[in-house]
Amino acid sequence: LAPTRVFALSLTCALSVSWVGAARFDLKRSTAQLQARLGGRLETERFVMYHPQAWSSERVEALRLELTYLYEELEGFFGRGLSRRAEVYFYKSAAQKKRLMGAGRTRVAKPWQYALHVDSPYVGMSTLTHELAHVFSAELAPAPHHLSLYRGWLPHMPLIEGLAEAATWDEGHLTSHQLSAALRREGLAPPLTELLNPGGFYLSSSRLAYTMCGSFVRFY
């Protein structure tokens, strides 16, 4: 064979092997491949839950009941359900989540996909409510992004996270309203106009910013 043909044949073989190996070694992360790698699937009227196939039926059922309860709670808060089923991706660990979809420690929602990704889930986990609230927020913003945007192009994180915090309301020892009031009295709270600017939000303590923005959105 001519050198050019040998090169072309070798390149074709290499690309073919890379294409097949990408899915096997988690170098390629399409939705279908992610679902296949998790292996477990449970479908309800309101959501589809993907989970590690090795999980027990008892654990899967407990999470189904938890998601159903949280969905109904958020449906009451938002005054409406979702126009399509949510996609819930559960991972056994942060390491598995990072390998399969790219985010390690951070639990994330993708409103434009009506999807959330959470590792090590358990009944009573507040993160589940928070991330599912992000999915519900997709109903409040137009396609294709389904996000609140600052000046029409930058994700408006004070409102995005504030809404999720407002929906994940805790009537425990102190509410976000009470914590915000205490921060203001102690002179620790930045002006709200500054905090509602994406730049001010990122420069503030994350716990302070989430608490005060959640209080503001809940009040609004």
Side-chain angles (χ1 to χ4, degrees):
L1 293 176
T4 52
R5 290 188 177 183
V6 172
F7 175 77
L9 182 60
S10 300
L11 181 60
T12 300
C13 291
L15 291 173
S16 299
V17 171
S18 298
W19 178 263
V20 174
R24 180 178 179 182
F25 296 107
D26 301 318
L27 300 176
K28 182 182 179 184
R29 305 183 182 105
S30 70
T31 300
Q33 289 163 341
L34 170 57
Q35 295 168 1
R37 290 287 283 150
L38 286 172
R41 174 188 171 102
L42 186 149
E43 189 170 332
T44 75
E45 181 181 349
R46 294 167 172 167
F47 56 84
V48 183
M49 184 173 79
Y50 300 96
H51 60 85
Q53 194 168 22
W55 282 3
S56 68
S57 58
E58 291 80 9
R59 182 176 187 180
V60 172
E61 176 61 11
L63 289 171
R64 181 194 70 80
L65 290 173
E66 179 75 349
L67 285 171
T68 301
Y69 169 76
L70 295 179
Y71 188 104
E72 292 176 354
E73 287 282 296
L74 290 171
E75 192 173 35
F77 174 77
F78 283 93
R80 63 194 298 178
L82 295 175
S83 58
R84 53 179 276 192
R85 284 188 294 187
E87 293 189 356
V88 181
Y89 293 85
F90 284 149
Y91 306 83
K92 66 180 180 181
S93 65
Q96 184 191 43
K97 181 157 61 65
K98 181 175 178 58
R99 186 174 70 251
L100 294 183
M101 61 81 60
R105 297 181 180 180
T106 307
R107 287 138 180 171
V108 300
K110 298 181 178 182
W112 57 94
Q113 296 178 348
Y114 282 70
L116 62 94
H117 299 260
V118 173
D119 61 88
S120 311
Y122 57 86
V123 173
M125 185 184 200
S126 62
T127 306
L128 287 179
T129 315
H130 184 98
E131 300 305 336
L132 188 56
H134 281 311
V135 176
F136 267 79
S137 72
E139 298 291 326
L140 306 181
H145 45 74
H146 290 289
L147 293 171
S148 176
L149 298 180
Y150 182 74
R151 296 184 177 177
W153 68 277
L154 181 69
H156 200 309
M157 298 311 294
L159 294 184
I160 291 171
E161 295 299 344
L163 179 61
E165 285 290 299
T168 315
W169 197 248
D170 184 3
E171 296 287 351
H173 183 59
L174 289 175
T175 68
S176 291
H177 289 334
Q178 293 168 326
L179 287 169
S180 296
L183 288 167
R184 290 174 67 86
R185 281 199 302 269
E186 294 299 318
L188 300 174
L192 192 58
T193 51
E194 177 182 316
L195 198 58
L196 290 176
N197 182 295
F201 179 86
Y202 284 119
L203 291 174
S204 299
S205 158
S206 61
R207 189 64 266 167
L208 180 151
Y210 276 57
T211 297
M212 292 193 65
C213 287
S215 175
F216 168 76
V217 174
R218 182 83 178 197
F219 173 79
Y220 182 84

